[in-house]
Coordinates of all heavy atoms in Angstrom, one line a residue:
M597 N 1.8 -32.0 53.5 CA 0.9 -30.9 53.6 C 0.1 -31.0 55.0 O -0.1 -32.1 55.4 CB -0.1 -31.0 52.5 CG -1.0 -29.7 52.3 SD -2.6 -30.1 51.6 CE -2.2 -30.7 50.0
A598 N -0.2 -29.9 55.6 CA -1.0 -29.9 56.8 C -2.4 -30.5 56.6 O -3.0 -30.3 55.6 CB -1.1 -28.5 57.4
E599 N -2.9 -31.2 57.6 CA -4.2 -31.8 57.5 C -5.3 -30.9 57.9 O -5.3 -30.3 58.9 CB -4.2 -33.1 58.3 CG -3.7 -34.3 57.6 CD -4.0 -35.6 58.3 OE1 -5.2 -35.7 58.8 OE2 -3.2 -36.5 58.3
R600 N -6.4 -31.0 57.1 CA -7.6 -30.3 57.4 C -8.2 -30.8 58.7 O -8.3 -32.0 58.9 CB -8.5 -30.6 56.2 CG -9.7 -29.7 56.1 CD -10.4 -30.1 54.8 NE -11.9 -30.0 55.0 CZ -12.6 -31.1 55.2 NH1 -12.1 -32.3 55.3 NH2 -13.9 -30.9 55.4
L601 N -8.6 -29.8 59.6 CA -9.2 -30.2 60.8 C -10.6 -30.5 60.7 O -11.3 -29.9 59.9 CB -9.0 -29.1 61.9 CG -7.6 -28.5 62.2 CD1 -7.7 -27.4 63.2 CD2 -6.8 -29.7 62.7
S602 N -11.1 -31.5 61.4 CA -12.5 -31.8 61.4 C -13.3 -30.7 62.1 O -12.7 -29.8 62.8 CB -12.8 -33.1 62.2 OG -12.5 -32.9 63.6
A603 N -14.6 -30.6 61.9 CA -15.4 -29.6 62.6 C -15.2 -29.6 64.1 O -15.1 -28.5 64.7 CB -16.9 -29.8 62.2
E604 N -15.1 -30.8 64.7 CA -14.9 -30.8 66.1 C -13.5 -30.3 66.5 O -13.4 -29.6 67.5 CB -15.0 -32.3 66.6 CG -16.4 -32.6 67.1 CD -16.9 -33.9 66.6 OE1 -16.2 -34.9 66.7 OE2 -18.1 -33.9 66.0
A605 N -12.5 -30.7 65.8 CA -11.1 -30.3 66.1 C -11.0 -28.8 65.9 O -10.3 -28.1 66.7 CB -10.1 -31.0 65.2
R606 N -11.7 -28.3 64.9 CA -11.7 -26.8 64.7 C -12.4 -26.1 65.9 O -11.8 -25.1 66.4 CB -12.5 -26.5 63.4 CG -12.0 -25.3 62.6 CD -12.6 -25.3 61.3 NE -14.0 -25.3 61.3 CZ -14.8 -26.1 60.6 NH1 -14.3 -27.1 59.9 NH2 -16.1 -26.0 60.6
K607 N -13.5 -26.6 66.4 CA -14.2 -26.0 67.5 C -13.3 -26.0 68.7 O -13.2 -25.0 69.5 CB -15.5 -26.7 67.8 CG -16.5 -26.3 66.7 CD -17.9 -26.4 67.2 CE -18.8 -25.7 66.2 NZ -18.8 -26.4 64.8
A608 N -12.6 -27.1 69.0 CA -11.7 -27.2 70.1 C -10.6 -26.2 70.0 O -10.2 -25.5 71.0 CB -11.2 -28.6 70.2
A609 N -10.0 -26.1 68.8 CA -8.9 -25.1 68.6 C -9.4 -23.7 68.8 O -8.7 -22.9 69.4 CB -8.3 -25.3 67.2
L610 N -10.6 -23.4 68.4 CA -11.2 -22.1 68.5 C -11.3 -21.7 69.9 O -11.1 -20.5 70.3 CB -12.5 -22.0 67.8 CG -12.5 -21.8 66.3 CD1 -13.9 -21.9 65.7 CD2 -11.8 -20.5 65.9
L611 N -11.6 -22.6 70.8 CA -11.7 -22.3 72.2 C -10.4 -21.8 72.8 O -10.4 -20.9 73.7 CB -12.1 -23.6 73.0 CG -13.5 -24.1 72.9 CD1 -13.8 -25.3 73.7 CD2 -14.5 -23.0 73.3
E612 N -9.3 -22.2 72.2 CA -8.0 -21.7 72.7 C -7.7 -20.3 72.1 O -6.7 -19.7 72.5 CB -6.9 -22.6 72.3 CG -6.9 -23.9 73.1 CD -5.7 -24.8 72.6 OE1 -4.7 -24.3 72.2 OE2 -6.0 -26.0 72.5
L613 N -8.5 -19.9 71.1 CA -8.2 -18.6 70.5 C -9.2 -17.5 70.9 O -9.2 -16.5 70.3 CB -8.4 -18.8 68.9 CG -7.3 -19.7 68.3 CD1 -7.6 -20.0 66.9 CD2 -5.9 -18.9 68.4
L614 N -9.9 -17.8 71.9 CA -10.8 -16.8 72.5 C -10.0 -15.7 73.2 O -9.0 -16.1 73.8 CB -11.9 -17.4 73.4 CG -12.9 -18.3 72.7 CD1 -13.7 -19.0 73.7 CD2 -13.8 -17.5 71.8
P615 N -10.4 -14.5 73.2 CA -11.6 -14.0 72.5 C -11.3 -13.7 71.0 O -10.2 -13.4 70.7 CB -12.0 -12.7 73.3 CG -10.6 -12.2 73.7 CD -9.7 -13.4 73.9
G616 N -12.3 -13.7 70.2 CA -12.1 -13.1 68.9 C -12.3 -14.0 67.7 O -13.0 -13.6 66.7
W617 N -11.7 -15.2 67.7 CA -11.8 -16.0 66.4 C -13.1 -16.8 66.4 O -13.4 -17.5 67.4 CB -10.6 -16.9 66.3 CG -9.3 -16.1 66.0 CD1 -8.5 -15.6 67.0 CD2 -8.8 -15.7 64.8 NE1 -7.5 -14.9 66.3 CE2 -7.6 -14.9 65.0 CE3 -9.2 -15.9 63.4 CZ2 -6.9 -14.4 64.0 CZ3 -8.5 -15.3 62.4 CH2 -7.3 -14.6 62.7
T618 N -13.7 -16.9 65.3 CA -14.9 -17.7 65.1 C -14.9 -18.4 63.8 O -14.1 -18.1 62.9 CB -16.2 -16.8 65.1 OG1 -16.1 -15.8 64.1 CG2 -16.4 -16.1 66.5
D619 N -15.7 -19.4 63.7 CA -15.9 -20.1 62.4 C -16.5 -19.1 61.4 O -17.4 -18.4 61.7 CB -16.9 -21.3 62.6 CG -16.2 -22.6 62.7 OD1 -15.2 -22.8 62.0 OD2 -16.7 -23.5 63.4
A620 N -15.9 -19.1 60.2 CA -16.5 -18.2 59.2 C -17.8 -18.8 58.7 O -18.0 -20.0 58.7 CB -15.5 -18.1 58.0
L621 N -18.7 -17.9 58.4 CA -20.0 -18.3 57.8 C -19.9 -18.7 56.4 O -19.3 -18.0 55.6 CB -21.1 -17.2 57.9 CG -21.6 -16.9 59.3 CD1 -22.6 -15.7 59.3 CD2 -22.3 -18.1 60.0
G622 N -20.4 -19.9 56.1 CA -20.5 -20.3 54.6 C -19.3 -20.9 54.0 O -19.3 -21.2 52.8
R623 N -18.2 -21.0 54.8 CA -17.0 -21.7 54.2 C -16.1 -22.2 55.4 O -16.3 -21.8 56.5 CB -16.2 -20.7 53.3 CG -15.7 -19.5 54.0 CD -14.8 -18.7 53.1 NE -13.5 -19.3 52.9 CZ -12.4 -18.6 52.6 NH1 -12.5 -17.3 52.4 NH2 -11.2 -19.2 52.4
E624 N -15.2 -23.1 55.0 CA -14.4 -23.7 56.1 C -13.2 -22.7 56.3 O -12.2 -22.8 55.5 CB -13.9 -25.1 55.6 CG -14.7 -26.2 56.3 CD -14.1 -27.5 56.0 OE1 -12.9 -27.7 56.2 OE2 -14.9 -28.4 55.7
A625 N -13.3 -21.9 57.3 CA -12.3 -20.9 57.5 C -12.6 -20.3 58.9 O -13.7 -20.5 59.5 CB -12.3 -19.8 56.5
I626 N -11.6 -19.6 59.5 CA -11.8 -18.9 60.8 C -11.6 -17.4 60.5 O -10.8 -17.1 59.6 CB -11.0 -19.5 61.9 CG1 -9.5 -19.4 61.6 CG2 -11.3 -20.9 62.2 CD1 -8.5 -19.7 62.7
E627 N -12.2 -16.6 61.3 CA -12.1 -15.2 61.1 C -12.1 -14.4 62.4 O -12.6 -14.8 63.4 CB -13.2 -14.7 60.2 CG -14.6 -14.8 60.7 CD -15.7 -14.5 59.7 OE1 -15.4 -14.4 58.5 OE2 -16.8 -14.3 60.2
R628 N -11.5 -13.2 62.3 CA -11.5 -12.3 63.4 C -11.3 -10.9 62.9 O -10.6 -10.7 61.9 CB -10.3 -12.6 64.4 CG -10.3 -11.6 65.5 CD -9.3 -11.8 66.7 NE -9.4 -10.7 67.6 CZ -8.7 -10.6 68.7 NH1 -7.8 -11.4 69.0 NH2 -8.9 -9.5 69.5
T629 N -12.0 -10.0 63.5 CA -11.9 -8.5 63.2 C -11.1 -7.9 64.3 O -11.5 -8.0 65.5 CB -13.3 -7.9 63.0 OG1 -13.9 -8.5 61.9 CG2 -13.1 -6.4 62.8
F630 N -10.0 -7.2 64.0 CA -9.2 -6.5 65.0 C -9.5 -5.0 64.8 O -9.5 -4.5 63.6 CB -7.7 -6.7 64.7 CG -7.2 -8.2 64.9 CD1 -7.2 -9.1 63.9 CD2 -6.8 -8.6 66.2 CE1 -6.8 -10.4 64.1 CE2 -6.4 -9.9 66.4 CZ -6.3 -10.8 65.3
V631 N -9.7 -4.3 65.9 CA -9.8 -2.8 65.8 C -8.7 -2.2 66.6 O -8.6 -2.4 67.8 CB -11.2 -2.4 66.3 CG1 -11.4 -0.9 66.2 CG2 -12.3 -3.1 65.6
F632 N -7.9 -1.4 66.0 CA -6.8 -0.7 66.6 C -7.1 0.7 66.9 O -8.2 1.2 66.7 CB -5.5 -0.8 65.7 CG -5.1 -2.3 65.5 CD1 -5.7 -3.1 64.5 CD2 -4.3 -2.9 66.4 CE1 -5.3 -4.4 64.3 CE2 -3.9 -4.2 66.3 CZ -4.4 -5.0 65.2
K633 N -6.1 1.4 67.5 CA -6.3 2.8 67.9 C -6.5 3.7 66.6 O -7.2 4.7 66.6 CB -5.1 3.3 68.7 CG -5.3 4.7 69.4 CD -4.1 5.0 70.2 CE -2.9 5.2 69.4 NZ -2.0 6.2 69.4
D634 N -5.7 3.4 65.7 CA -5.7 4.3 64.4 C -5.1 3.5 63.3 O -4.7 2.3 63.5 CB -4.9 5.6 64.7 CG -3.5 5.3 65.2 OD1 -2.9 4.2 65.0 OD2 -2.9 6.2 65.9
F635 N -4.9 4.1 62.1 CA -4.4 3.4 61.0 C -3.0 3.0 61.2 O -2.5 1.9 60.7 CB -4.5 4.3 59.7 CG -3.9 3.7 58.5 CD1 -4.5 2.7 57.8 CD2 -2.6 4.1 58.1 CE1 -4.0 2.1 56.7 CE2 -2.0 3.5 56.9 CZ -2.7 2.5 56.3
N636 N -2.2 3.8 61.8 CA -0.8 3.5 62.1 C -0.6 2.2 62.8 O 0.2 1.4 62.4 CB -0.1 4.7 62.9 CG 1.4 4.6 62.9 OD1 2.0 4.3 61.9 ND2 1.9 4.7 64.1
E637 N -1.4 2.0 63.8 CA -1.3 0.7 64.6 C -1.9 -0.5 63.8 O -1.3 -1.6 63.8 CB -2.0 0.9 65.9 CG -1.3 2.0 66.7 CD -1.3 1.8 68.2 OE1 -2.1 1.0 68.8 OE2 -0.6 2.5 68.9
A638 N -2.9 -0.2 63.1 CA -3.5 -1.3 62.2 C -2.5 -1.7 61.2 O -2.2 -2.9 61.0 CB -4.8 -0.8 61.5
F639 N -1.8 -0.8 60.6 CA -0.8 -1.1 59.6 C 0.4 -1.7 60.2 O 1.1 -2.6 59.6 CB -0.5 0.1 58.7 CG 0.0 -0.4 57.3 CD1 -0.9 -0.9 56.4 CD2 1.4 -0.3 57.0 CE1 -0.4 -1.3 55.1 CE2 1.8 -0.7 55.8 CZ 1.0 -1.2 54.8
G640 N 0.8 -1.3 61.4 CA 1.9 -1.9 62.1 C 1.6 -3.3 62.4 O 2.5 -4.2 62.2
F641 N 0.4 -3.6 62.8 CA 0.0 -5.0 63.0 C 0.1 -5.8 61.7 O 0.7 -6.9 61.7 CB -1.5 -5.0 63.5 CG -2.1 -6.4 63.4 CD1 -1.9 -7.4 64.4 CD2 -3.0 -6.7 62.3 CE1 -2.5 -8.6 64.2 CE2 -3.6 -7.9 62.2 CZ -3.4 -8.9 63.2
M642 N -0.4 -5.3 60.7 CA -0.3 -6.0 59.4 C 1.1 -6.2 58.9 O 1.4 -7.3 58.4 CB -1.1 -5.2 58.3 CG -2.6 -5.1 58.6 SD -3.5 -4.2 57.4 CE -3.8 -5.4 56.1
T643 N 2.0 -5.2 59.2 CA 3.4 -5.4 58.8 C 4.0 -6.6 59.5 O 4.7 -7.4 58.9 CB 4.1 -4.1 59.1 OG1 3.5 -3.0 58.4 CG2 5.6 -4.2 58.6
R644 N 3.8 -6.6 60.8 CA 4.4 -7.7 61.6 C 3.8 -9.0 61.2 O 4.5 -10.1 61.1 CB 4.2 -7.4 63.1 CG 5.1 -6.3 63.6 CD 5.0 -6.1 65.1 NE 5.4 -4.8 65.4 CZ 5.4 -4.3 66.7 NH1 5.0 -5.1 67.7 NH2 5.8 -3.1 66.9
A645 N 2.5 -9.0 61.0 CA 1.8 -10.3 60.7 C 2.3 -10.8 59.3 O 2.4 -12.0 59.0 CB 0.3 -10.1 60.7
A646 N 2.5 -9.8 58.4 CA 2.9 -10.1 57.0 C 4.3 -10.8 57.1 O 4.6 -11.8 56.3 CB 3.0 -8.9 56.2
L647 N 5.2 -10.3 57.9 CA 6.5 -10.9 58.1 C 6.4 -12.3 58.6 O 7.1 -13.2 58.1 CB 7.4 -10.0 59.0 CG 7.8 -8.6 58.4 CD1 8.5 -7.8 59.5 CD2 8.6 -8.8 57.2
M648 N 5.6 -12.5 59.5 CA 5.3 -13.8 60.1 C 4.8 -14.8 59.0 O 5.2 -15.9 58.9 CB 4.3 -13.7 61.3 CG 3.8 -15.0 61.8 SD 5.0 -15.9 62.8 CE 5.2 -14.7 64.1
A649 N 3.8 -14.2 58.2 CA 3.2 -15.0 57.1 C 4.3 -15.5 56.1 O 4.3 -16.6 55.7 CB 2.1 -14.2 56.5
E650 N 5.1 -14.6 55.8 CA 6.2 -14.9 54.8 C 7.1 -15.9 55.4 O 7.5 -16.9 54.7 CB 7.0 -13.6 54.4 CG 6.5 -12.9 53.2 CD 6.5 -13.8 52.0 OE1 7.6 -14.0 51.4 OE2 5.5 -14.4 51.6
K651 N 7.5 -15.8 56.6 CA 8.5 -16.7 57.3 C 7.9 -18.1 57.3 O 8.6 -19.1 57.1 CB 8.7 -16.2 58.7 CG 10.1 -16.6 59.2 CD 10.5 -15.8 60.4 CE 9.7 -16.1 61.7 NZ 10.1 -15.3 62.8
T652 N 6.6 -18.2 57.5 CA 6.0 -19.5 57.6 C 5.4 -20.0 56.3 O 4.8 -21.1 56.3 CB 4.9 -19.5 58.8 OG1 3.9 -18.5 58.4 CG2 5.5 -19.2 60.1
D653 N 5.4 -19.2 55.3 CA 4.8 -19.4 54.0 C 3.3 -19.8 54.2 O 2.8 -20.8 53.6 CB 5.5 -20.6 53.3 CG 5.1 -20.7 51.8 OD1 4.7 -19.6 51.2 OD2 5.1 -21.8 51.3
H654 N 2.7 -19.0 55.0 CA 1.2 -19.2 55.2 C 0.6 -17.9 55.4 O 0.9 -17.1 56.3 CB 1.0 -20.1 56.5 CG -0.5 -20.6 56.5 ND1 -0.9 -21.5 55.6 CD2 -1.5 -20.3 57.3 CE1 -2.2 -21.7 55.8 NE2 -2.6 -21.0 56.8
H655 N -0.4 -17.6 54.5 CA -0.8 -16.2 54.3 C -2.3 -15.9 54.6 O -3.1 -16.8 54.2 CB -0.5 -15.7 52.8 CG 1.0 -15.9 52.5 ND1 1.5 -17.1 52.1 CD2 2.0 -15.0 52.6 CE1 2.9 -16.9 51.9 NE2 3.2 -15.7 52.2
P656 N -2.6 -14.8 55.2 CA -3.9 -14.5 55.5 C -4.7 -13.9 54.3 O -4.1 -13.3 53.4 CB -3.8 -13.4 56.6 CG -2.5 -12.7 56.2 CD -1.6 -13.7 55.6
E657 N -6.0 -14.0 54.4 CA -6.9 -13.2 53.5 C -7.3 -12.0 54.5 O -7.7 -12.3 55.6 CB -8.1 -14.0 53.1 CG -7.8 -15.2 52.4 CD -9.1 -16.1 52.2 OE1 -10.2 -15.6 52.0 OE2 -8.9 -17.3 52.1
W658 N -7.2 -10.8 54.1 CA -7.5 -9.7 55.0 C -7.9 -8.5 54.3 O -7.6 -8.3 53.1 CB -6.4 -9.5 56.0 CG -5.0 -9.3 55.5 CD1 -4.6 -9.1 54.2 CD2 -3.8 -9.2 56.3 NE1 -3.2 -8.9 54.2 CE2 -2.7 -9.0 55.4 CE3 -3.5 -9.3 57.6 CZ2 -1.4 -8.8 55.8 CZ3 -2.2 -9.2 58.1 CH2 -1.2 -9.0 57.2
R659 N -8.5 -7.6 55.0 CA -9.0 -6.3 54.5 C -8.9 -5.3 55.5 O -9.2 -5.5 56.7 CB -10.5 -6.5 54.2 CG -11.3 -5.3 53.7 CD -12.7 -5.8 53.2 NE -13.4 -4.6 52.6 CZ -14.2 -3.8 53.3 NH1 -14.4 -4.1 54.6 NH2 -14.8 -2.8 52.7
N660 N -8.3 -4.2 55.1 CA -8.1 -3.1 56.1 C -8.9 -1.8 55.7 O -8.9 -1.4 54.5 CB -6.6 -2.7 56.1 CG -6.3 -1.3 56.7 OD1 -5.7 -0.5 56.0 ND2 -6.7 -1.1 57.9
V661 N -9.7 -1.3 56.7 CA -10.3 0.0 56.5 C -10.0 0.8 57.7 O -10.4 0.5 58.8 CB -11.9 -0.2 56.4 CG1 -12.5 1.2 56.2 CG2 -12.3 -1.1 55.2
Y662 N -9.1 1.8 57.5 CA -8.6 2.7 58.5 C -8.0 1.9 59.7 O -7.0 1.3 59.5 CB -9.7 3.7 58.9 CG -9.3 4.7 60.1 CD1 -8.1 5.3 60.0 CD2 -10.1 4.9 61.1 CE1 -7.7 6.1 61.0 CE2 -9.7 5.8 62.2 CZ -8.5 6.4 62.1 OH -8.1 7.2 63.1
K663 N -8.7 1.8 60.8 CA -8.1 1.2 62.0 C -8.6 -0.3 62.2 O -8.3 -0.9 63.2 CB -8.3 2.0 63.2 CG -9.8 2.2 63.6 CD -9.9 3.0 64.9 CE -11.4 3.1 65.3 NZ -11.5 3.7 66.6
T664 N -9.4 -0.7 61.2 CA -10.0 -2.1 61.4 C -9.3 -3.0 60.4 O -9.1 -2.7 59.2 CB -11.5 -2.0 61.1 OG1 -12.1 -1.2 62.1 CG2 -12.1 -3.4 61.2
V665 N -9.0 -4.2 60.9 CA -8.4 -5.3 60.0 C -9.3 -6.5 60.1 O -9.4 -7.1 61.2 CB -6.9 -5.6 60.4 CG1 -6.3 -6.6 59.4 CG2 -6.1 -4.3 60.4
E666 N -9.9 -6.9 59.1 CA -10.7 -8.2 59.0 C -9.8 -9.3 58.5 O -9.3 -9.1 57.4 CB -11.9 -8.0 58.2 CG -12.9 -6.9 58.7 CD -14.0 -6.6 57.6 OE1 -14.0 -7.2 56.6 OE2 -14.7 -5.7 57.9
V667 N -9.7 -10.4 59.2 CA -8.8 -11.4 58.8 C -9.6 -12.7 58.6 O -10.5 -13.1 59.5 CB -7.7 -11.7 59.8 CG1 -6.8 -12.8 59.3 CG2 -7.0 -10.4 60.2
V668 N -9.4 -13.4 57.5 CA -10.0 -14.8 57.3 C -8.8 -15.7 57.1 O -7.9 -15.4 56.3 CB -10.9 -14.8 56.1 CG1 -11.4 -16.3 55.9 CG2 -12.1 -13.9 56.3
L669 N -8.8 -16.8 57.8 CA -7.7 -17.8 57.7 C -8.2 -19.1 57.2 O -9.2 -19.7 57.8 CB -6.9 -18.0 59.0 CG -6.2 -16.7 59.6 CD1 -5.5 -17.1 60.9 CD2 -5.2 -16.1 58.6
A670 N -7.6 -19.7 56.2 CA -7.9 -21.0 55.7 C -6.6 -21.5 55.0 O -5.8 -20.7 54.6 CB -9.0 -21.0 54.7
T671 N -6.5 -22.8 54.9 CA -5.4 -23.3 54.1 C -5.9 -23.7 52.7 O -6.6 -24.7 52.6 CB -4.7 -24.6 54.8 OG1 -4.3 -24.1 56.1 CG2 -3.5 -25.1 54.1
H672 N -5.6 -23.0 51.7 CA -6.1 -23.2 50.4 C -5.8 -24.5 49.8 O -6.6 -25.2 49.3 CB -5.7 -22.0 49.5 CG -6.0 -20.7 50.1 ND1 -5.0 -19.7 50.3 CD2 -7.1 -20.2 50.6 CE1 -5.5 -18.7 50.9 NE2 -6.8 -18.9 51.1
D673 N -4.5 -24.9 50.1 CA -4.1 -26.2 49.6 C -4.9 -27.4 50.2 O -5.0 -28.4 49.5 CB -2.6 -26.4 49.9 CG -1.7 -25.4 49.2 OD1 -2.2 -24.7 48.3 OD2 -0.5 -25.2 49.6
A674 N -5.4 -27.2 51.4 CA -6.1 -28.3 52.1 C -7.6 -28.1 52.0 O -8.3 -29.0 52.4 CB -5.7 -28.3 53.5
G675 N -8.1 -27.0 51.5 CA -9.5 -26.8 51.4 C -10.2 -26.7 52.7 O -11.4 -27.0 52.9
G676 N -9.5 -26.1 53.7 CA -10.1 -26.0 55.1 C -9.1 -25.4 56.0 O -8.2 -24.8 55.6
V677 N -9.4 -25.6 57.3 CA -8.6 -25.0 58.4 C -7.6 -26.1 58.8 O -8.0 -27.3 59.1 CB -9.5 -24.6 59.6 CG1 -8.6 -24.1 60.7 CG2 -10.4 -23.5 59.1
T678 N -6.4 -25.7 59.0 CA -5.3 -26.7 59.4 C -4.6 -26.0 60.6 O -4.8 -24.9 61.0 CB -4.3 -27.0 58.3 OG1 -3.5 -25.8 58.1 CG2 -4.9 -27.4 57.1
A679 N -3.7 -26.8 61.2 CA -2.8 -26.3 62.3 C -2.1 -25.0 61.9 O -1.8 -24.2 62.7 CB -1.9 -27.4 62.7
L680 N -1.8 -24.9 60.6 CA -1.1 -23.7 60.1 C -2.0 -22.4 60.4 O -1.5 -21.4 60.8 CB -0.8 -23.8 58.6 CG 0.2 -24.8 58.2 CD1 0.2 -24.9 56.7 CD2 1.6 -24.5 58.8
D681 N -3.3 -22.5 60.2 CA -4.2 -21.4 60.5 C -4.3 -21.1 62.0 O -4.3 -20.0 62.4 CB -5.6 -21.7 59.9 CG -5.5 -22.0 58.4 OD1 -5.1 -21.0 57.7 OD2 -5.8 -23.1 58.0
I682 N -4.4 -22.2 62.8 CA -4.4 -22.0 64.2 C -3.2 -21.3 64.7 O -3.2 -20.4 65.5 CB -4.6 -23.4 64.9 CG1 -5.9 -24.1 64.4 CG2 -4.7 -23.2 66.4 CD1 -7.2 -23.3 64.4
G683 N -2.0 -21.7 64.2 CA -0.7 -21.1 64.6 C -0.7 -19.7 64.2 O -0.3 -18.8 65.0
L684 N -1.1 -19.4 63.0 CA -1.1 -18.0 62.5 C -2.1 -17.1 63.3 O -1.8 -16.0 63.7 CB -1.4 -17.9 61.0 CG -1.3 -16.5 60.4 CD1 0.0 -15.8 60.7 CD2 -1.6 -16.5 58.9
A685 N -3.3 -17.7 63.7 CA -4.2 -17.0 64.5 C -3.7 -16.6 65.8 O -3.8 -15.5 66.4 CB -5.5 -17.8 64.6
K686 N -3.0 -17.6 66.4 CA -2.3 -17.4 67.7 C -1.3 -16.3 67.6 O -1.2 -15.4 68.5 CB -1.7 -18.7 68.3 CG -2.7 -19.6 68.9 CD -2.0 -20.8 69.6 CE -3.1 -21.7 70.1 NZ -2.7 -23.1 70.1
A687 N -0.5 -16.3 66.6 CA 0.6 -15.3 66.4 C 0.0 -14.0 66.2 O 0.4 -13.0 66.7 CB 1.4 -15.7 65.2
M688 N -1.1 -13.9 65.4 CA -1.8 -12.6 65.2 C -2.4 -12.1 66.6 O -2.3 -10.8 66.8 CB -2.9 -12.7 64.2 CG -2.4 -12.8 62.8 SD -3.8 -13.0 61.6 CE -3.0 -12.3 60.2
N689 N -2.9 -12.9 67.4 CA -3.4 -12.5 68.7 C -2.3 -11.9 69.5 O -2.4 -10.8 70.1 CB -4.0 -13.7 69.5 CG -5.4 -14.0 69.0 OD1 -6.0 -13.3 68.2 ND2 -6.0 -15.0 69.6
A690 N -1.1 -12.6 69.5 CA 0.1 -12.1 70.2 C 0.5 -10.7 69.7 O 0.9 -9.8 70.5 CB 1.2 -13.1 70.2
I691 N 0.5 -10.6 68.4 CA 1.0 -9.3 67.8 C 0.0 -8.2 68.1 O 0.4 -7.1 68.5 CB 1.1 -9.4 66.2 CG1 2.2 -10.4 65.9 CG2 1.4 -8.1 65.6 CD1 2.3 -10.9 64.4
A692 N -1.3 -8.5 68.0 CA -2.3 -7.5 68.4 C -2.2 -7.1 69.8 O -2.4 -5.9 70.2 CB -3.7 -8.1 68.1
R693 N -1.9 -8.0 70.7 CA -1.7 -7.7 72.1 C -0.6 -6.7 72.3 O -0.6 -5.8 73.2 CB -1.4 -9.0 72.9 CG -2.6 -9.5 73.7 CD -2.3 -10.6 74.6 NE -2.9 -11.9 74.0 CZ -2.2 -12.9 73.6 NH1 -0.9 -13.0 73.8 NH2 -2.8 -13.9 73.0
Q694 N 0.4 -6.8 71.5 CA 1.6 -5.8 71.5 C 1.0 -4.3 71.3 O 1.7 -3.4 71.7 CB 2.7 -6.1 70.5 CG 3.4 -7.4 70.9 CD 4.3 -7.8 69.8 OE1 4.5 -7.2 68.7 NE2 5.0 -9.0 70.0
F695 N -0.1 -4.3 70.6 CA -0.7 -3.0 70.3 C -1.9 -2.7 71.3 O -2.7 -1.8 71.0 CB -1.2 -2.9 68.8 CG -0.1 -2.9 67.8 CD1 0.4 -4.0 67.2 CD2 0.5 -1.7 67.5 CE1 1.4 -4.0 66.3 CE2 1.6 -1.6 66.6 CZ 2.0 -2.8 66.0
G696 N -2.0 -3.5 72.3 CA -3.0 -3.3 73.3 C -4.4 -3.8 72.9 O -5.4 -3.5 73.6
V697 N -4.5 -4.6 71.9 CA -5.7 -5.2 71.5 C -5.8 -6.6 72.0 O -5.0 -7.4 71.6 CB -5.9 -5.2 69.9 CG1 -7.2 -5.9 69.5 CG2 -6.0 -3.7 69.4
V698 N -6.8 -6.8 72.9 CA -6.8 -8.2 73.5 C -7.7 -9.1 72.8 O -8.8 -8.7 72.2 CB -7.4 -8.0 75.0 CG1 -7.5 -9.4 75.6 CG2 -6.4 -7.1 75.8
Ligands
H2B1270 N1 -1.4 -19.6 52.5 C1 -2.6 -20.1 52.8 N2 -3.4 -19.5 53.6 N3 -2.9 -21.3 52.3 C2 -2.2 -22.0 51.5 O1 -2.5 -23.1 51.0 C3 -0.9 -21.5 51.1 C4 -0.5 -20.2 51.6 N4 -0.1 -22.1 50.3 N5 0.6 -19.6 51.3 C5 1.3 -21.7 50.1 C6 1.5 -20.2 50.3 C7 1.7 -22.2 48.8 O2 1.0 -21.7 47.7 C8 3.2 -22.0 48.5 C9 3.6 -22.5 47.1 O3 3.9 -22.7 49.5

C-alpha cells in the first residue's frame, strides 16, 4: 500500500502542484477547483480523468456544477495523502491544461 505523507512531505509535494492544489481544511486531503469554458469541457476533463483513475485504481472525490469541477484527493486505504494522490493531481493538471485551464 502507498504510504501516507507527513505534513511536511505533503507541503513539499503541493509546491510542485502549483497553481491550484491546496491542503483541504479539516481533513488529510488535497483539493483543487477547476473552472472550464462550459459543461462540455468540464465533463470532457472528468471523462479523461475517470479513465486515468480506473487505469491506476485510484479515484477522486469530486463534484461538478455546470463548468466547475471541485476535486478532493485522499487515499482512503491509508487515511491521508499518498504519492498516488500527488500523481493523480499532476495528471489532472495535465488534462486540464489540454482544455486551456492552467
Ligand atoms: N481510491 C482512493 N482515492 N483511495 C483508495 O484508497 C482507493 C481508491 N482504493 N480506489 C482502491 C480503489 C481500492 O478500494 C481497490 C480495492 O483497489
